[in-house]
Amino acid sequence: MANDPRAAAHPIPPFPADFLWGVSTSAHQIEGAADEREPSVWDAFTAEPGRVKDGSTAAVACDHYHRHAEDVALLSGLGVDAYRFSVSWPRVNSPGGLDFYDRLVDELLSAGVRPVPTLFHWDLPADLDWLKRDTASRFAEYASAVVGRLGDRVKKWITLNEPAEHTLLGHALGTHAPGKQLLFDALPVAHHQLLAHGLAVQALRAAGAGDIGIANSHGPTWPASQEPADLEAAAFYDVLLNRLFAEPLLLGEYPQGLGELMPGDVSADLKVISEPLDWYGINYYAPTRVGAPQGTEIEFGGITMPAELPFSVREIEGVPVTDFGWPVVPEGLTELLTTFRDRYGDRLPPVIITENGCSYEGLDDQARIAYLDGHLRALHRALEAGVDVRGYFVWSLLDNFEWAEGYARRFGLVHVDFATQTRTPKASYAWLRNELRAQRARARG
Ligand code: IFM
């Protein structure tokens, strides 16, 4: 599509002049230099045989820790306004750890790219555990240390990345670190992360920081049929993916029946958790088709789901899929955003799409261009429908360590040869650079 005459004749409509364009990464997926920081739960997990499909670890990953200058040059060449990266808590706990982020922030600002750090993207220090309430207080202390060092230059903050996935995959199903299979006994992990978020918002604000958001993963849930059992299963899945984290944050309450299952003084905690946000980050990849349980284990999108779950995930038929097997449904993004606006009204602050992207092989990644093109048009339709969206971040700048999938899934705009660490921009990198130039030219009139 990079040179597709149809795209030239039918350009992506203009976004507002102050719309924030960016790309996202996370520390554990790109930094490497694992021997220059304390261990995280992911180091312990990947050391266990069979946990990561290709047997790899993130010990080196993209070696970004040593090659950050080259990666900042790639960001600058791409022409993004902002770069969302994560700060590694185990690195901050290690000598010189904060110095690294200090340098990175300076380099980004010198390149004209705004730094947008996420404080937690799943790499919990190995000696901590989200089942323990104290981890929330420790997170607030860590947030204070980071803002104390970077807060003079960082003007936009994200507390947590996808606490729903970290709870579900890491603690309920055990396919991610720390590998616990607690099913619904994992709910305290959700509550403690939410509490950690609220305490961190307070800590950031106490240090004078503003413009704070969270990056939650959401997607429309489509029932497999209109049969009551399928509708009930889909509604339950919708609670887990779309309401369990959004409602405490936006409404100050858990969806019905869940508050009773959470530990501690839940109503006092909810006051902390619902500290008003400056904006709400949404990571969108695809909708999910959900039906009644089928009584068997299901393998879906790289995840094994046990038979005991009160729902089963089904295939969405008749749509393309990425190399990861994830359905490509751009209109799901419009549906998700208008649903959130209708559901939460003025309790929903301005939205930023903090992740959107796809896994495809190859340098001439026309399928990624089609994916991004389709999702930007879908995002624009949400703006036209009146949803207040202020920014869009592509996942991801670089091919990287895709958790339990290892290096087999390539989400980058830039190809990484993991044997040589050579970075090669893909066709999608050039396409996005040109699209950003076109957007700015149109915004200038
Ligand atoms: O790579 C992940 C990222 O860490 C969190 N959001 C989804 C991405 C693709 O799976």
Side-chain angles (χ1 to χ4, degrees):
M1 296 253 172
N3 302 311
D4 186 342
R6 285 166 304 172
H10 182 41
I12 295 172
F15 282 75
D18 58 356
F19 198 77
L20 189 69
W21 298 100
V23 288
S24 298
T25 64
S26 92
H28 192 77
Q29 293 177 273
I30 66 164
E31 281 181 7
D35 54 356
E36 295 177 59
R37 57 157 171 77
E38 287 186 1
S40 81
V41 292
W42 268 95
D43 298 311
F45 184 78
T46 48
E48 290 173 30
R51 290 299 204 176
V52 175
K53 286 184 185 152
D54 60 6
S56 62
T57 75
V60 177
C62 308
D63 197 26
H64 168 78
Y65 184 79
H66 299 113
R67 294 167 195 266
H68 51 93
E70 186 180 353
D71 296 337
V72 171
L74 285 164
L75 289 163
S76 163
L78 184 56
V80 284
D81 303 309
Y83 173 49
R84 174 182 171 225
F85 58 98
S86 79
V87 176
S88 157
W89 189 351
R91 198 175 294 290
V92 167
N93 285 351
S94 313
L98 266 173
D99 297 342
F100 168 68
Y101 298 106
D102 198 285
R103 285 195 298 277
L104 179 63
V105 163
D106 281 345
E107 282 169 21
L108 288 166
L109 290 170
S110 302
V113 178
R114 274 184 258 172
V116 183
T118 305
L119 291 170
F120 179 68
H121 196 125
W122 303 350
D123 49 350
L124 190 72
D127 57 344
L128 295 182
D129 181 350
W130 283 117
L131 283 166
K132 298 190 180 145
R133 183 181 175 89
D134 180 53
T135 302
S137 314
R138 302 282 296 273
F139 183 69
E141 288 159 20
Y142 152 70
S144 296
V146 178
V147 72
R149 183 69 178 267
L150 307 180
D152 56 337
R153 286 152 292 152
V154 167
K155 300 298 166 201
K156 199 175 201 72
W157 295 88
I158 299 175
T159 55
L160 308 180
N161 178 74
E162 298 183 2
E165 274 65 20
H166 191 54
T167 306
L168 179 72
L169 304 180
H171 299 79
L173 303 181
T175 55
H176 276 192
K180 296 191 169 142
Q181 289 181 289
L182 302 170
L183 294 179
F184 291 100
D185 289 339
L187 282 173
V189 171
H191 185 70
H192 293 151
Q193 285 182 91
L194 282 166
L195 181 60
H197 156 86
L199 292 171
V201 172
Q202 292 177 342
L204 291 172
R205 290 207 173 116
D211 210 3
I212 304 167
I214 186 169
N216 271 336
S217 157
H218 294 298
T221 305
W222 293 347
S225 79
Q226 293 304 305
E227 292 297 322
D230 286 336
L231 291 172
E232 195 184 323
F236 183 80
Y237 186 89
D238 188 49
V239 167
L240 288 186
L241 182 66
N242 293 322
R243 308 180 90 124
L244 173 60
F245 290 87
E247 299 193 357
L249 293 163
L250 301 176
L251 307 180
E253 61 194 28
Y254 277 108
Q256 206 186 0
L258 285 176
E260 294 87 299
L261 304 177
M262 297 303 182
D265 184 347
V266 175
S267 59
D269 291 350
L270 281 166
K271 292 199 176 67
V272 177
I273 291 167
S274 58
E275 282 283 336
L277 287 166
D278 297 295
W279 52 276
Y280 189 85
I282 291 184
N283 297 354
Y284 171 76
Y285 287 89
T288 315
R289 175 90 67 207
V290 178
Q294 292 177 310
T296 53
E297 198 175 88
I298 295 178
E299 186 71 31
F300 201 87
I303 300 166
T304 307
M305 303 200 189
E308 307 92 283
L309 291 176
F311 56 81
S312 61
V313 175
R314 314 280 177 84
E315 197 181 326
I316 296 179
E317 286 164 6
V319 300
V321 291
T322 69
D323 286 352
F324 204 161
W326 294 3
V328 179
V329 188
E331 56 276 21
L333 179 56
T334 322
E335 180 186 326
L336 174 71
L337 291 168
T338 52
T339 302
F340 261 61
R341 189 268 323 272
D342 295 345
R343 202 177 260 180
Y344 301 120
D346 59 11
R347 306 293 286 273
L348 180 68
V351 170
I352 294 179
I353 303 302
T354 33
E355 283 182 26
N356 177 237
C358 47
S359 156
Y360 286 110
E361 291 292 319
L363 289 174
D364 187 20
D365 55 343
Q366 298 301 317
R368 179 173 287 103
I369 293 171
Y371 180 101
L372 296 176
D373 178 283
H375 284 76
L376 286 178
R377 290 172 197 274
L379 182 59
H380 199 276
R381 285 194 287 278
L383 281 170
E384 284 168 348
V387 185
D388 185 2
V389 187
R390 305 276 178 94
Y392 174 87
F393 287 67
V394 174
W395 183 269
S396 181
L397 174 67
L398 304 170
D399 290 340
N400 58 50
F401 178 73
E402 176 57 22
W403 308 112
E405 298 287 319
Y407 295 97
R409 308 297 176 192
R410 291 184 175 271
F411 279 88
L413 297 167
V414 175
H415 178 273
V416 178
D417 177 333
F418 292 103
T420 63
Q421 291 297 342
T422 305
R423 275 88 161 125
T424 309
K426 302 179 189 176
S428 56
Y429 176 97
W431 175 86
L432 184 62
R433 184 192 57 209
N434 293 342
E435 181 56 34
L436 297 184
R437 283 183 188 156
Q439 284 288 335
R440 289 190 186 112
R442 275 183 232 135
R444 283 196 300 271

